Amino acid sequence: MLLIDVRSPAEFAHAHLPGSKSLPLFSDEERKVVGTAYKQESRQRAIKLGLEYFGPKMVPMIDQVEKWLNELHQGAEHKREVVLYCWRGGMRSAGVGWLLDLYGFKVSTIKGGYKSYRRWSIAQFSKSYPFSIVGGYTGSGKTALLQQLMQKGEA
């Protein structure tokens, strides 16, 4: 499975999911133009601008995904599975997902995008995890204690 981030290069450089590859739908400047059109004009205008940028990138994007999958599987037969995400799991990942699905890849997207993953990750730090630390000098019996705990199913 190949994990692909379709956000802009600056967004990817700032933070991304571990192990993901960057396949930006828009450059940083293109993202700015499309986002401004979305906020100041309309969703439809932003989509038309986005499609103008997206069109010439379609074949190179497919080629790049094929290259990554071949490297990942080292030429062996593989399932051509990809998982995509953008910031909120919205139009960018949907657009690239449509293209890759049309071409024949098995495409999944991360619901809620990077924003959702980030929220989940941060929440993990506020959870309580039950664990104990066994410490002591060399020869103090730590190994024997751990072995007894294992026998009782506690370790």
Side-chain angles (χ1 to χ4, degrees), residues 32 57 128:
K32 182 179 173 183
K57 298 176 186 178
S128 175

PDB file of all heavy atoms in Angstrom, residues 32 57 128:
ATOM      1  N   LYS A  32      -2.658  28.876  -3.546  1.00  0.00           N
ATOM      2  CA  LYS A  32      -3.046  30.212  -3.098  1.00  0.00           C
ATOM      3  C   LYS A  32      -4.090  30.823  -4.043  1.00  0.00           C
ATOM      4  O   LYS A  32      -5.108  31.371  -3.604  1.00  0.00           O
ATOM      5  CB  LYS A  32      -1.807  31.104  -3.018  1.00  0.00           C
ATOM      6  CG  LYS A  32      -2.064  32.487  -2.526  1.00  0.00           C
ATOM      7  CD  LYS A  32      -0.745  33.270  -2.464  1.00  0.00           C
ATOM      8  CE  LYS A  32      -0.982  34.723  -2.146  1.00  0.00           C
ATOM      9  NZ  LYS A  32       0.260  35.491  -2.163  1.00  0.00           N
ATOM     10  N   LYS A  57      -1.021  17.914 -15.432  1.00  0.00           N
ATOM     11  CA  LYS A  57      -0.289  17.088 -14.454  1.00  0.00           C
ATOM     12  C   LYS A  57      -0.791  15.650 -14.398  1.00  0.00           C
ATOM     13  O   LYS A  57      -0.187  14.812 -13.733  1.00  0.00           O
ATOM     14  CB  LYS A  57      -0.417  17.704 -13.055  1.00  0.00           C
ATOM     15  CG  LYS A  57       0.183  19.076 -12.932  1.00  0.00           C
ATOM     16  CD  LYS A  57      -0.083  19.640 -11.555  1.00  0.00           C
ATOM     17  CE  LYS A  57       0.403  21.084 -11.472  1.00  0.00           C
ATOM     18  NZ  LYS A  57       0.106  21.673 -10.163  1.00  0.00           N
ATOM     19  N   SER A 128      -4.347   7.584  29.040  1.00  0.00           N
ATOM     20  CA  SER A 128      -3.606   6.910  30.091  1.00  0.00           C
ATOM     21  C   SER A 128      -3.230   5.509  29.600  1.00  0.00           C
ATOM     22  O   SER A 128      -4.099   4.773  29.123  1.00  0.00           O
ATOM     23  CB  SER A 128      -4.482   6.810  31.343  1.00  0.00           C
ATOM     24  OG  SER A 128      -3.826   6.058  32.321  1.00  0.00           O
TER      25      SER A 128
END
